[in-house]
Amino acid sequence: MEFLDVVRRRRTTNGAFLPDPVSEEHQRLLMEVAGRAPSQLNSQPWRFVIVEERPTIEAIAQISGESMTEAMSNGTFFERYKPYFRFSKEEMERRRDGMLFDRLPAPLRPFTSQVFTARGQKLMNAMRVPQTLGQENRRLVAGSPLLLGVMLDRSEYRPGELSSFYSVFSMGAAMENVWLTTVELGMGIQFISFPMEVPGRWEEIARLLRVPDELELMAVYRLGYLPAEQRRPPIDWTSEQRRLPSQYVFRGTCDTPQEGWDQSGGAARGAG
């Protein structure tokens, strides 16, 4: 596969993986490409923990599902991220950013425009929508053959200092290498984010993974091989659009948007 094809095909996987374990050869390759990422002064601040043990995956899945239910029940999730939700393909096409939130449970679809209101929150809670979505999230994580914890060395990751920026930047480069390589390997990947949304739950995961004091747990991902055909999952907030170059590229100074690039190639499309 050509490199540019890999970049353009990169996706976030919102659906289920095959149950097959990720081969040790592929695990090793993913960690090799992570280790080849750039880092300030070759500090290589990243550390990784590969998790295949079912009890640990099940426990993290339970935390993730419960966290999703809580964040959606108390309204903090919608309040925090409402600038990024779009409710029609037309809005998505116009804005070209955010997530298309078009898969509300059937009883709620007539109330889509009210999803961020107090009435909409009460309605969702009454219909136990947060619990339904939380259970689906738990199943997705529990069905993953492999989890990947990403950590940073605290001697480099010192919030408020320049070294912290360097280390986070390097971690992002390492994970982009991993993400792109999953495309080549026929795998999918998704960030397990909801435990970060609820106080105390992220620390539970750090304890499960026995993260030592000198490391900071920064992220956990679920990975696995993709089935040949995928149905659209119950939790599927798609993001097919990308901003046009004229919306994020400037020429010479930030006063002058780049012109003439908006119709080139496949630059405006992607997912997740």
Side-chain angles (χ1 to χ4, degrees), residues 163-205:
S163 65
S164 182
F165 166 78
Y166 291 145
S167 61
V168 172
F169 187 89
S170 298
M171 183 191 75
M175 283 311 302
E176 183 69 0
N177 281 1
V178 170
W179 212 300
L180 293 176
T181 303
T182 64
V183 179
E184 179 73 19
L185 299 180
M187 296 176 62
I189 182 171
Q190 185 182 36
F191 180 31
I192 301 174
S193 60
F194 272 97
M196 288 183 163
E197 304 284 346
V198 178
R201 303 315 302 261
W202 194 247
E203 289 75 14
E204 291 181 40
I205 294 179

Side-chain angles (χ1 to χ4, degrees), residues 20 29 43 50 56-57 59 72 77-78 80 83 101 104 109 121 149 163 178-179 192 195 204 209 237 251 258 268 272:
D20 311 50
L29 179 59
S43 56
I50 296 170
T56 306
I57 292 175
M72 288 194 162
F77 176 78
F78 294 113
R80 183 173 296 156
F101 193 61
L104 285 172
R109 288 171 193 164
Q121 184 69 58
S163 65
V178 170
W179 212 300
I192 301 174
E204 291 181 40
L209 299 181
W237 302 331
R251 176 68 65 176
Q258 172 67 47

Side-chain angles (χ1 to χ4, degrees), residues 133-187:
L133 294 179
Q135 281 300 313
E136 180 62 26
N137 178 274
R138 184 196 63 76
R139 283 192 290 269
L140 279 176
V141 177
S144 304
L146 185 146
L147 303 185
L148 180 65
V150 187
M151 299 159 288
L152 285 177
D153 186 334
R154 287 181 184 271
S155 66
E156 294 292 331
Y157 178 66
R158 301 190 294 271
E161 298 184 24
L162 189 55
S163 65
S164 182
F165 166 78
Y166 291 145
S167 61
V168 172
F169 187 89
S170 298
M171 183 191 75
M175 283 311 302
E176 183 69 0
N177 281 1
V178 170
W179 212 300
L180 293 176
T181 303
T182 64
V183 179
E184 179 73 19
L185 299 180
M187 296 176 62

Side-chain angles (χ1 to χ4, degrees), residues 110-132:
F111 307 98
T112 295
S113 62
Q114 302 177 44
V115 70
F116 293 132
T117 67
R119 180 169 181 258
Q121 184 69 58
K122 288 181 181 178
L123 186 63
M124 283 195 294
N125 289 351
M127 294 182 174
R128 297 184 61 80
V129 172
Q131 286 80 3
T132 299

Side-chain angles (χ1 to χ4, degrees), residues 16 18 186 225-231:
L18 294 173
Y225 296 111
L226 295 173
E229 295 184 6
Q230 287 187 297
R231 293 183 186 178

